[in-house]
Amino acid sequence: MRLFVSEGAPGSLPVLAAAGRAQGGEELLISTVGPEECVVPFLTQPKVPVLQLDSGNYLFSTSAICRYFFLLSGWEQDDLTNQWLEWEATELQPALSAALYYLVVQGKKGEDVLSPVRRALTHIDHSLSRRSCPFLAGETESVADIVLWGALYPLLQDPAYLPEELGALHSWFQTLSSQEPCQRAAEMVLKQQGVLALRPYLQKQPHPSSFEGRAVSNEPEEEELATLSEEEIAMAVTAWEKGLGSLPPLRPQQNPVLPVAGERNVLITSALPYVNNVPHLGNIIGCVLSADVFARYSRLRQWNTLYLCGTDEYGTATETKAMEEGLTPQEICDKYHAIHASIYRWFNISFDIFGRTTTPQQTKITQDIFQRLLTRGFVFQDTVEQLRCEHCARFLADRFVEGVCPFCGYEEARGDQCDKCGKLINAIELKKPQCKVCRSCPVVKSSQHLFLDLPKLEKRLEEWLGKTLPGSEWTPNARFIIRSWLRDGLKPRCITRDLKWGTPVPLEGFEDKVFYVWFDATIGYVSITANYTDQWERWWKNPEQVNLYQFMAKDNVPFHGLVFPCSALGAEDNYTLVNHLIATEYLNYEDGKFSKSRGVGVFGDMAQDTGIPADIWRFYLLYIRPEGQDSAFSWTDMLLKNNSELLNNLGNFINRAGMFVSKFFGGCVPEMVLTSDDRRLLAHVTLELQHYHELLEKVRIREALRSILTISRNGNQYIQVNEPWKRIKGSEADRQRAGTVTGLAVNIAALLSVMLQPYMPTVSATIQAQLQLPAPACSILLKNFLCTLPAGHQIGTVSPLFQKLENDQIESLRQRFGGGQLEESLELKAKAPAGPAVVEATAAAGPQQIQVLMDEVTKQGNIVRELKAQKADKNQVAAEVAKLLDLKKQLALAEGKPLETPKGKKKK
Amino acid sequence: MAGDIGGSEPSLPANAGDPCCPAPAPARSSCRKMAAAAELRLLEKSLGLSKGNKYSAQGERQIPVLQTNNGPSLTGLTTIAAHLVKQANKGYLLGSTAEEKAVVQQWLEYRVTRVDGHSSKDDVHTLLKDLNSYLEDKVYLTGYNFTLADILLYYGLHRFVVDLTVQEKEKYLNVSRWFCHIQHYPGIRQHLTSVVFIKNRLYANSH
């Protein structure tokens, strides 16, 4: 036998590994040929590796060569190996050659490389974890493992391309990579140069264009059905037969909800949205909606659940907003709190409490924690160099300063954080600082401030993390962020600010200062609970009995995972600390960024004006939940997912199941006589249901939604294969079969309605009303699939659940909210009407006119300040502020500066 | 309206199964690829298996899935085909020696990657040219034994071969000989169009 290989040809890897692993005594000659040499006489295109057999025959397919080596060593072919090898050739190879081409030839990195193969990698991972076997085709290594390992090795040997969350893939890959034949093959082919060793070969290959249309990241992973043991099937059938009888009694509704000893008490918080802004879809999926799914799931499990949230109202952002709108901070808070509450109500968020942070309880609890920290020596005073605007005669809090970011050079960095690079900034480090109010340049002055001594608390924090993290559901990004903060070492953090709108500092000499929001915002959860019940300490000072889940976007991790735990640990008051910190990545909007501070994207209050029901929004946002990686909202994708997954898959199945009962059996669930096929289906549904539970217990919300769709897909297939609509017209036996299939299908529909409840509560309730599902079955989800609609059960009127979304409808929405080059078009829109005017004004306005306007602005500014100092009537101040803003606008026009509309200036 | 079993929702996929109007039979136009399920039924029949296997299709490439009664489902045309061969106790169709088995699998892979994955007319001609050259000294794809590779390659190539001109058929003489032989193999062709090959060469210069 003679094996022809070529420098850097990826196919050599599996072939050499298979030869080392399985090839017997026969002699194998290896010849190296050029990448363009035609070894096989009958093939037009060059192809390596190639095995020339002693008979003169050629094997030119990589997996056929591997297969041959294994066959020589006595291995017998089987279905599962065949299936993996066919999948490798038809699915994995096109994806992988695209990824390798991008990486090696085009020098792309990161997601560009990973995205074509991500789906395939997930498929392998799921198959491995589902079968819980160490190898692809079972307990022992087979040719499938070698072929797939060899194909994947060049990419996955770089840990950057082996996603952390794919645990099963990880360990499979490590096991194979550590084997001797594989190691030797890897050395021979990659020559310790990593993936770049493939360059000489891949460069000569055509661009893998045929792959392009296939890379769709939001596509569902098609699940293959797992192997079931007879035992599993028998257990599923037993559970099914017990039916409604196995449901425990419903927990009575409590008010207020309080922890109960001996029960699982789940406290859920969602990051408190800033009051000064309307939340956009990214905010909604990032915390409130994700937490809502988990809270609803937790209640379905009959866990004692309290879900709370509220508006975060203190801080500079509110003061700034108040100035913009000419209202007092309190008025701003009242106005926006109501807006927030109504948006979440529309999205059907099931808060037990939706409170706010501007309450006496907040002051009381914050000051108490502060006093305890102070007496225990965890707070110290220090002088801070701070920016002071002489013109406005005050120290400038972070958000009243803007300037150039010292790290990335972004021009509109805020005093505390840069929106572009995300780094935290000390305001005095800003280049070219500007007072946000008067635009003059502030000077550095010193001021007394209080600091939380985090370095002193670091050891306690590490101890606590050491106990908390293992076995918890902290998301990988949260662990990573905390780890990197600890690696850099904690630094003291200033917890006071020169503001009025905040929790007062109870210390002499600090009467003009308030607590920094980052110290007291997280205490908001506690005070909101205290406003809900005077027994709040049973939740918040009860770490033994309470399981605390906190949901947020990843930028909030340091305050929940570090700052608050440090404060609480230092206060030594037995506070309940976060057990599971669930952080999402970011959601982008179409091609651009979904940015709150720029006012770009769909906002919560606009979602209701689209005519698309809240449940559809919930479904799509949860379907693309940025879990593990950033994701993007896309109008087209939303249409696609609605029409394919909801309409054609889920809606179609549930509706057909119900319609068969009404049409063929007069609305009465027929007798079910289970065959072995049906029992198998029962067991498959049970398995998928258990998978759903496993995922939701780990708060993998997006993945658990896939389980629902998988069951419904299986259900559709079941109906399709058994054709009850034909059998109903057949013999007695056929009619009985139609009855069984219909009965089982409608019970699957009932199960789906409960599983769907955390995701689409309204649709869930509609299905349950249509099927007349008995009350306890609606509110409890067990780990087994039960017959909840027994023979003889009368269902209600069945009607379709979902509407088709039309292209033109979605297109007009896209135009309304912008898409594609969104930021540009927004800027154009903002400028267009004022465009010509700006030009004229600029042309007409001479330096004199500008000077006049500047003087007027200064004069008007003084009037406003005087009025405020005299604590004049609110309305009078507002009127003068409006005049001031108008003058500033004129001035900006005259200077030819871009207009700073309040909308464009919205800040977090 | 969504999921209305009585309606004729235009966006419903062909297999969504409206009971009042069952999915239409797969199109048998010569230029389109045969639906995988239809092909597997042809194979079942040629193997003498009784009907009873249920197929569905998965994803946009409509990969066939077989739901088996005593095991997990199987996905993929060649995987299912090999399974059916064993079900029919005709294991010899997968090859007898190690070499033959590997060759059969190689051509099955060729069928699903190259024959089904072709994108242009040029690709088809390259494919026919290569195959023609390969078959020069062979009766069947493995040499002297008829196997599953011959059956599936025949089914896969049928749509291209029916469209070949007389001149092209003569150009790919070995392919034509092989194809003609397989279509006359008992039980293989079934309802597929019989392709006519002329025995006397007309274009003496073309080959």
Side-chain angles (χ1 to χ4, degrees), chain A residues 42 44 55 60-61 63 77 79 83 86 91 225 647-648 655-656 659 677 680 717 720-721 725 800 802, chain B residues 2-3 5 11-12 16-17 19 54 56 61 63 67 69 74-75 77-79 83 99 106 109 129-130 133:
Chain A
F42 55 85
T44 310
S55 64
F60 56 86
S61 137
S63 47
Q77 314 193 53
D79 286 344
Q83 178 169 285
E86 183 174 356
E91 302 286 321
L225 296 177
L647 199 81
N648 284 346
N655 193 249
R656 283 164 90 195
M659 283 308 271
D677 271 4
R680 188 169 295 280
Q717 235 171 53
Q720 198 56 27
V721 163
W725 64 93
F802 302 108
Chain B
I5 58 162
S11 71
L12 281 180
K54 300 289 185 185
S56 53
R61 293 196 305 124
I63 303 156
Q67 191 55 59
N69 285 329
L74 285 178
T75 306
L77 181 74
T78 68
T79 304
H83 174 82
E99 176 171 336
Q106 160 160 294
E109 182 188 310
K129 178 168 162 278
D130 287 0
S133 153

Short mmCIF file of all heavy atoms in Angstrom, two decimals, chain A residues 42 44 55 60-61 63 77 79 83 86 91 225 647-648 655-656 659 677 680 717 720-721 725 800 802, chain B residues 2-3 5 11-12 16-17 19 54 56 61 63 67 69 74-75 77-79 83 99 106 109 129-130 133:
data_model
loop_
_atom_site.label_atom_id
_atom_site.label_comp_id
_atom_site.label_asym_id
_atom_site.label_seq_id
_atom_site.Cartn_x
_atom_site.Cartn_y
_atom_site.Cartn_z
N PHE A 42 -7.77 8.86 -12.69
CA PHE A 42 -9.09 9.15 -13.26
C PHE A 42 -9.74 10.41 -12.71
O PHE A 42 -10.84 10.77 -13.10
CB PHE A 42 -10.03 7.94 -13.09
CG PHE A 42 -10.18 7.46 -11.66
CD1 PHE A 42 -11.10 8.05 -10.80
CD2 PHE A 42 -9.38 6.42 -11.19
CE1 PHE A 42 -11.24 7.61 -9.51
CE2 PHE A 42 -9.51 5.97 -9.88
CZ PHE A 42 -10.44 6.56 -9.04
N THR A 44 -9.95 14.50 -12.31
CA THR A 44 -9.48 15.72 -12.95
C THR A 44 -8.79 16.65 -11.94
O THR A 44 -7.77 17.25 -12.23
CB THR A 44 -10.68 16.47 -13.58
OG1 THR A 44 -11.42 15.54 -14.35
CG2 THR A 44 -10.24 17.63 -14.43
N SER A 55 -3.96 -3.85 -5.15
CA SER A 55 -4.73 -4.26 -6.32
C SER A 55 -4.64 -3.22 -7.44
O SER A 55 -5.10 -3.46 -8.54
CB SER A 55 -6.20 -4.43 -5.93
OG SER A 55 -6.70 -3.16 -5.52
N PHE A 60 -9.61 7.60 -2.56
CA PHE A 60 -9.31 9.04 -2.56
C PHE A 60 -10.15 9.80 -1.54
O PHE A 60 -10.09 11.01 -1.46
CB PHE A 60 -9.50 9.62 -3.96
CG PHE A 60 -10.88 9.38 -4.52
CD1 PHE A 60 -11.91 10.24 -4.23
CD2 PHE A 60 -11.12 8.27 -5.35
CE1 PHE A 60 -13.18 10.00 -4.76
CE2 PHE A 60 -12.38 8.03 -5.86
CZ PHE A 60 -13.42 8.89 -5.56
N SER A 61 -10.98 9.09 -0.78
CA SER A 61 -11.76 9.77 0.25
C SER A 61 -11.10 9.53 1.60
O SER A 61 -10.75 8.39 1.93
CB SER A 61 -13.20 9.24 0.24
OG SER A 61 -13.65 9.03 1.56
N SER A 63 -12.25 9.59 4.63
CA SER A 63 -12.88 8.67 5.58
C SER A 63 -12.90 7.24 5.05
O SER A 63 -12.85 6.31 5.83
CB SER A 63 -14.27 9.15 6.00
OG SER A 63 -15.03 9.51 4.92
N GLN A 77 -18.56 -2.62 10.24
CA GLN A 77 -19.27 -1.35 10.07
C GLN A 77 -20.60 -1.39 10.81
O GLN A 77 -21.23 -2.43 10.91
CB GLN A 77 -19.55 -1.11 8.59
CG GLN A 77 -18.37 -1.37 7.70
CD GLN A 77 -18.57 -0.83 6.30
OE1 GLN A 77 -18.89 0.34 6.15
NE2 GLN A 77 -18.40 -1.64 5.30
N ASP A 79 -24.33 1.17 11.86
CA ASP A 79 -25.15 2.32 11.45
C ASP A 79 -24.66 3.64 12.03
O ASP A 79 -24.58 4.66 11.34
CB ASP A 79 -26.60 2.12 11.92
CG ASP A 79 -27.33 1.08 11.07
OD1 ASP A 79 -26.83 0.78 9.97
OD2 ASP A 79 -28.38 0.60 11.51
N GLN A 83 -23.41 6.87 10.09
CA GLN A 83 -24.12 8.14 10.20
C GLN A 83 -23.16 9.28 10.50
O GLN A 83 -23.24 10.35 9.91
CB GLN A 83 -25.18 8.01 11.29
CG GLN A 83 -25.95 9.29 11.52
CD GLN A 83 -27.15 9.05 12.42
OE1 GLN A 83 -28.15 8.49 12.00
NE2 GLN A 83 -27.05 9.46 13.65
N GLU A 86 -21.06 10.01 7.37
CA GLU A 86 -21.83 10.73 6.34
C GLU A 86 -22.02 12.19 6.76
O GLU A 86 -21.88 13.10 5.96
CB GLU A 86 -23.20 10.07 6.11
CG GLU A 86 -23.98 10.77 4.99
CD GLU A 86 -25.29 10.08 4.61
OE1 GLU A 86 -25.59 9.00 5.13
OE2 GLU A 86 -26.00 10.65 3.76
N GLU A 91 -21.87 17.63 6.18
CA GLU A 91 -22.16 18.81 7.00
C GLU A 91 -20.90 19.46 7.57
O GLU A 91 -20.70 20.66 7.48
CB GLU A 91 -23.09 18.44 8.16
CG GLU A 91 -24.40 17.84 7.74
CD GLU A 91 -25.36 18.88 7.15
OE1 GLU A 91 -25.40 20.01 7.67
OE2 GLU A 91 -26.03 18.56 6.17
N LEU A 225 -32.82 11.63 17.82
CA LEU A 225 -33.40 10.99 18.99
C LEU A 225 -32.39 10.07 19.65
O LEU A 225 -31.66 9.35 18.98
CB LEU A 225 -34.64 10.20 18.57
CG LEU A 225 -35.76 11.09 18.01
CD1 LEU A 225 -36.92 10.24 17.55
CD2 LEU A 225 -36.22 12.10 19.04
N LEU A 647 -45.49 29.31 13.84
CA LEU A 647 -46.64 29.00 13.01
C LEU A 647 -46.60 27.55 12.52
O LEU A 647 -47.52 26.77 12.74
CB LEU A 647 -46.62 29.97 11.84
CG LEU A 647 -47.92 30.14 11.09
CD1 LEU A 647 -48.80 31.10 11.85
CD2 LEU A 647 -47.66 30.69 9.70
N ASN A 648 -45.51 27.21 11.85
CA ASN A 648 -45.47 25.90 11.18
C ASN A 648 -45.13 24.75 12.12
O ASN A 648 -45.52 23.62 11.87
CB ASN A 648 -44.45 25.91 10.06
CG ASN A 648 -44.98 26.65 8.86
OD1 ASN A 648 -46.16 26.91 8.79
ND2 ASN A 648 -44.10 27.01 7.95
N ASN A 655 -52.44 22.94 17.22
CA ASN A 655 -53.74 23.12 16.59
C ASN A 655 -54.26 21.83 15.96
O ASN A 655 -55.44 21.48 16.08
CB ASN A 655 -53.64 24.23 15.54
CG ASN A 655 -54.99 24.67 15.08
OD1 ASN A 655 -55.38 24.43 13.95
ND2 ASN A 655 -55.75 25.29 15.98
N ARG A 656 -53.38 21.10 15.31
CA ARG A 656 -53.82 19.84 14.69
C ARG A 656 -54.28 18.86 15.76
O ARG A 656 -55.32 18.22 15.61
CB ARG A 656 -52.67 19.21 13.90
CG ARG A 656 -52.43 19.89 12.58
CD ARG A 656 -51.09 19.50 12.04
NE ARG A 656 -51.14 18.31 11.20
CZ ARG A 656 -50.06 17.62 10.87
NH1 ARG A 656 -48.88 17.97 11.34
NH2 ARG A 656 -50.15 16.59 10.08
N MET A 659 -57.62 19.97 16.91
CA MET A 659 -58.62 19.84 15.86
C MET A 659 -59.04 18.39 15.63
O MET A 659 -60.21 18.11 15.38
CB MET A 659 -58.10 20.43 14.54
CG MET A 659 -58.12 21.93 14.47
SD MET A 659 -59.71 22.66 14.85
CE MET A 659 -60.45 22.67 13.23
N ASP A 677 -44.45 1.71 19.59
CA ASP A 677 -44.05 3.00 19.01
C ASP A 677 -44.46 4.15 19.91
O ASP A 677 -43.71 5.09 20.12
CB ASP A 677 -44.74 3.20 17.65
CG ASP A 677 -43.91 2.61 16.52
OD1 ASP A 677 -42.87 2.01 16.84
OD2 ASP A 677 -44.32 2.75 15.36
N ARG A 680 -42.40 4.36 23.00
CA ARG A 680 -41.10 4.96 22.68
C ARG A 680 -41.23 6.48 22.59
O ARG A 680 -40.39 7.22 23.11
CB ARG A 680 -40.63 4.38 21.35
CG ARG A 680 -39.22 4.73 20.95
CD ARG A 680 -38.80 3.89 19.77
NE ARG A 680 -38.74 2.49 20.14
CZ ARG A 680 -37.72 1.96 20.80
NH1 ARG A 680 -36.68 2.70 21.15
NH2 ARG A 680 -37.70 0.69 21.12
N GLN A 717 -44.06 15.02 13.56
CA GLN A 717 -43.60 13.85 12.84
C GLN A 717 -44.48 12.63 13.16
O GLN A 717 -44.81 11.85 12.29
CB GLN A 717 -42.18 13.55 13.28
CG GLN A 717 -41.20 13.47 12.15
CD GLN A 717 -39.79 13.40 12.71
OE1 GLN A 717 -39.48 12.56 13.54
NE2 GLN A 717 -38.93 14.30 12.26
N GLN A 720 -47.66 12.89 11.39
CA GLN A 720 -47.42 12.72 9.97
C GLN A 720 -47.26 11.24 9.61
O GLN A 720 -47.80 10.75 8.64
CB GLN A 720 -46.14 13.50 9.61
CG GLN A 720 -45.98 13.77 8.16
CD GLN A 720 -47.18 14.51 7.61
OE1 GLN A 720 -47.87 15.23 8.34
NE2 GLN A 720 -47.46 14.31 6.34
N VAL A 721 -46.50 10.54 10.44
CA VAL A 721 -46.21 9.15 10.17
C VAL A 721 -47.47 8.29 10.37
O VAL A 721 -47.71 7.35 9.64
CB VAL A 721 -45.06 8.68 11.10
CG1 VAL A 721 -45.01 7.16 11.15
CG2 VAL A 721 -43.74 9.24 10.60
N TRP A 725 -55.86 11.14 10.18
CA TRP A 725 -56.97 11.58 9.32
C TRP A 725 -57.35 10.55 8.26
O TRP A 725 -58.44 10.57 7.73
CB TRP A 725 -56.62 12.93 8.68
CG TRP A 725 -55.45 12.86 7.75
CD1 TRP A 725 -55.47 12.65 6.41
CD2 TRP A 725 -54.07 12.99 8.11
NE1 TRP A 725 -54.20 12.64 5.90
CE2 TRP A 725 -53.31 12.86 6.92
CE3 TRP A 725 -53.39 13.23 9.32
CZ2 TRP A 725 -51.92 12.94 6.91
CZ3 TRP A 725 -52.01 13.31 9.29
CH2 TRP A 725 -51.30 13.16 8.11
N PRO A 800 -56.66 28.75 15.86
CA PRO A 800 -55.22 28.95 15.62
C PRO A 800 -54.59 29.88 16.65
O PRO A 800 -55.25 30.78 17.18
CB PRO A 800 -55.20 29.59 14.23
CG PRO A 800 -56.47 29.19 13.60
CD PRO A 800 -57.47 29.12 14.70
N PHE A 802 -51.28 31.43 16.23
CA PHE A 802 -50.32 32.43 15.76
C PHE A 802 -50.73 33.01 14.41
O PHE A 802 -51.44 32.38 13.63
CB PHE A 802 -48.93 31.83 15.64
CG PHE A 802 -48.42 31.26 16.93
CD1 PHE A 802 -48.31 29.90 17.12
CD2 PHE A 802 -48.07 32.11 17.98
CE1 PHE A 802 -47.85 29.38 18.32
CE2 PHE A 802 -47.62 31.60 19.19
CZ PHE A 802 -47.52 30.23 19.36
N ALA B 2 -52.51 30.59 11.39
CA ALA B 2 -51.56 29.59 11.87
C ALA B 2 -52.21 28.25 12.14
O ALA B 2 -53.25 28.17 12.76
CB ALA B 2 -50.93 30.08 13.15
N GLY B 3 -51.53 27.25 11.65
CA GLY B 3 -51.85 25.89 12.08
C GLY B 3 -53.28 25.45 11.86
O GLY B 3 -53.75 24.51 12.48
N ILE B 5 -55.85 23.39 10.48
CA ILE B 5 -55.71 22.14 9.75
C ILE B 5 -56.59 22.13 8.51
O ILE B 5 -56.32 21.40 7.58
CB ILE B 5 -56.03 20.89 10.60
CG1 ILE B 5 -57.42 20.95 11.16
CG2 ILE B 5 -55.01 20.67 11.66
CD1 ILE B 5 -57.90 19.59 11.62
N SER B 11 -47.54 28.72 3.37
CA SER B 11 -46.17 28.60 3.85
C SER B 11 -45.91 27.25 4.51
O SER B 11 -44.82 26.97 4.93
CB SER B 11 -45.86 29.70 4.84
OG SER B 11 -46.56 29.45 6.03
N LEU B 12 -46.94 26.43 4.61
CA LEU B 12 -46.72 25.13 5.23
C LEU B 12 -45.77 24.30 4.39
O LEU B 12 -45.92 24.23 3.18
CB LEU B 12 -48.04 24.36 5.34
CG LEU B 12 -48.97 24.74 6.48
CD1 LEU B 12 -50.21 23.88 6.44
CD2 LEU B 12 -48.28 24.58 7.81
N ALA B 16 -45.80 19.19 6.25
CA ALA B 16 -46.51 19.60 7.45
C ALA B 16 -47.82 18.86 7.59
O ALA B 16 -48.43 18.86 8.64
CB ALA B 16 -46.76 21.09 7.41
N GLY B 17 -48.25 18.23 6.51
CA GLY B 17 -49.32 17.27 6.64
C GLY B 17 -50.67 17.84 6.94
O GLY B 17 -51.20 17.70 8.03
N PRO B 19 -54.19 17.23 6.91
CA PRO B 19 -54.92 15.98 6.74
C PRO B 19 -55.96 16.06 5.63
O PRO B 19 -56.31 15.05 5.04
CB PRO B 19 -55.57 15.76 8.10
CG PRO B 19 -55.59 17.10 8.75
CD PRO B 19 -54.41 17.83 8.23
N LYS B 54 -40.92 4.61 7.98
CA LYS B 54 -41.42 5.97 7.86
C LYS B 54 -40.25 6.93 7.75
O LYS B 54 -39.32 6.86 8.54
CB LYS B 54 -42.25 6.33 9.11
CG LYS B 54 -43.44 5.43 9.32
CD LYS B 54 -44.51 5.70 8.29
CE LYS B 54 -45.75 4.88 8.59
NZ LYS B 54 -46.78 5.02 7.56
N SER B 56 -38.88 11.00 7.31
CA SER B 56 -39.17 12.42 7.31
C SER B 56 -37.94 13.13 6.77
O SER B 56 -36.93 12.48 6.51
CB SER B 56 -39.50 12.88 8.72
OG SER B 56 -38.47 12.50 9.60
N ARG B 61 -31.72 21.13 3.42
CA ARG B 61 -31.30 20.20 2.39
C ARG B 61 -32.16 18.94 2.39
O ARG B 61 -31.92 18.00 1.65
CB ARG B 61 -29.81 19.83 2.56
CG ARG B 61 -28.90 21.04 2.30
CD ARG B 61 -27.47 20.61 2.07
NE ARG B 61 -26.97 19.81 3.17
CZ ARG B 61 -26.46 18.59 3.04
NH1 ARG B 61 -26.42 18.00 1.87
NH2 ARG B 61 -26.02 17.95 4.09
N ILE B 63 -32.55 16.38 4.40
CA ILE B 63 -31.83 15.13 4.67
C ILE B 63 -32.84 14.13 5.24
O ILE B 63 -33.59 14.47 6.14
CB ILE B 63 -30.70 15.39 5.68
CG1 ILE B 63 -29.78 16.46 5.14
CG2 ILE B 63 -29.94 14.10 5.99
CD1 ILE B 63 -29.03 17.19 6.19
N GLN B 67 -37.22 6.73 11.10
CA GLN B 67 -37.56 6.44 12.48
C GLN B 67 -37.67 4.92 12.60
O GLN B 67 -38.59 4.32 12.07
CB GLN B 67 -38.89 7.12 12.84
CG GLN B 67 -39.20 7.08 14.31
CD GLN B 67 -38.06 7.67 15.15
OE1 GLN B 67 -37.70 8.83 14.98
NE2 GLN B 67 -37.48 6.86 16.03
N ASN B 69 -38.03 1.17 14.47
CA ASN B 69 -38.85 0.69 15.57
C ASN B 69 -38.02 0.22 16.75
O ASN B 69 -38.45 0.26 17.88
CB ASN B 69 -39.73 -0.47 15.11
CG ASN B 69 -40.87 0.05 14.27
OD1 ASN B 69 -41.33 1.17 14.49
ND2 ASN B 69 -41.30 -0.73 13.31
N LEU B 74 -32.24 7.18 12.30
CA LEU B 74 -31.03 7.26 11.49
C LEU B 74 -31.17 8.43 10.53
O LEU B 74 -32.24 8.65 9.97
CB LEU B 74 -30.83 5.98 10.69
CG LEU B 74 -30.33 4.76 11.48
CD1 LEU B 74 -30.24 3.56 10.56
CD2 LEU B 74 -28.98 5.05 12.11
N THR B 75 -30.08 9.15 10.34
CA THR B 75 -30.11 10.32 9.49
C THR B 75 -29.10 10.18 8.37
O THR B 75 -27.98 9.77 8.62
CB THR B 75 -29.78 11.58 10.32
OG1 THR B 75 -30.66 11.61 11.44
CG2 THR B 75 -29.97 12.85 9.50
N LEU B 77 -28.87 9.82 3.76
CA LEU B 77 -29.25 8.90 2.70
C LEU B 77 -28.44 7.61 2.70
O LEU B 77 -29.00 6.51 2.71
CB LEU B 77 -29.10 9.61 1.34
CG LEU B 77 -29.50 8.77 0.14
CD1 LEU B 77 -31.01 8.63 0.06
CD2 LEU B 77 -28.95 9.36 -1.15
N THR B 78 -27.13 7.72 2.71
CA THR B 78 -26.32 6.50 2.56
C THR B 78 -26.36 5.66 3.83
O THR B 78 -26.30 4.43 3.78
CB THR B 78 -24.86 6.83 2.18
OG1 THR B 78 -24.23 7.47 3.29
CG2 THR B 78 -24.80 7.73 0.98
N THR B 79 -26.48 6.34 4.98
CA THR B 79 -26.58 5.62 6.25
C THR B 79 -27.84 4.76 6.27
O THR B 79 -27.81 3.58 6.61
CB THR B 79 -26.63 6.64 7.41
OG1 THR B 79 -25.48 7.48 7.33
CG2 THR B 79 -26.67 5.94 8.74
N HIS B 83 -28.37 0.66 6.06
CA HIS B 83 -29.21 0.00 7.06
C HIS B 83 -30.26 -0.89 6.39
O HIS B 83 -30.49 -2.03 6.82
CB HIS B 83 -29.87 1.07 7.92
CG HIS B 83 -30.86 0.55 8.90
ND1 HIS B 83 -30.49 0.02 10.12
CD2 HIS B 83 -32.22 0.44 8.84
CE1 HIS B 83 -31.57 -0.38 10.76
NE2 HIS B 83 -32.64 -0.14 10.02
N GLU B 99 -11.38 -4.19 1.26
CA GLU B 99 -11.17 -3.25 0.15
C GLU B 99 -12.50 -2.90 -0.51
O GLU B 99 -12.81 -1.73 -0.74
CB GLU B 99 -10.21 -3.86 -0.86
CG GLU B 99 -10.03 -2.98 -2.09
CD GLU B 99 -8.92 -3.48 -2.99
OE1 GLU B 99 -8.01 -4.18 -2.52
OE2 GLU B 99 -8.97 -3.14 -4.19
N GLN B 106 -16.76 4.73 -0.28
CA GLN B 106 -16.17 5.87 -0.97
C GLN B 106 -17.12 6.41 -2.04
O GLN B 106 -17.33 7.61 -2.17
CB GLN B 106 -14.85 5.47 -1.58
CG GLN B 106 -14.37 6.39 -2.69
CD GLN B 106 -12.89 6.24 -2.92
OE1 GLN B 106 -12.09 6.56 -2.07
NE2 GLN B 106 -12.53 5.74 -4.08
N GLU B 109 -20.16 8.07 -0.54
CA GLU B 109 -19.83 9.43 -0.12
C GLU B 109 -19.76 10.36 -1.34
O GLU B 109 -20.23 11.49 -1.31
CB GLU B 109 -18.49 9.43 0.63
CG GLU B 109 -18.09 10.81 1.15
CD GLU B 109 -16.68 10.83 1.74
OE1 GLU B 109 -16.36 9.96 2.58
OE2 GLU B 109 -15.90 11.72 1.36
N LYS B 129 -16.89 12.88 -16.68
CA LYS B 129 -15.60 12.59 -17.30
C LYS B 129 -14.78 11.69 -16.38
O LYS B 129 -14.21 10.68 -16.81
CB LYS B 129 -14.87 13.91 -17.55
CG LYS B 129 -13.50 13.78 -18.15
CD LYS B 129 -13.01 15.15 -18.63
CE LYS B 129 -11.51 15.16 -18.82
NZ LYS B 129 -10.76 15.37 -17.58
N ASP B 130 -14.71 12.06 -15.08
CA ASP B 130 -13.95 11.27 -14.11
C ASP B 130 -14.51 9.86 -14.01
O ASP B 130 -13.77 8.88 -14.01
CB ASP B 130 -14.00 11.93 -12.72
CG ASP B 130 -13.16 13.20 -12.66
OD1 ASP B 130 -12.55 13.55 -13.69
OD2 ASP B 130 -13.12 13.83 -11.59
N SER B 133 -13.74 7.76 -16.98
CA SER B 133 -12.37 7.29 -16.97
C SER B 133 -12.21 6.16 -15.94
O SER B 133 -11.51 5.18 -16.18
CB SER B 133 -11.49 8.51 -16.69
OG SER B 133 -10.32 8.17 -16.09
#
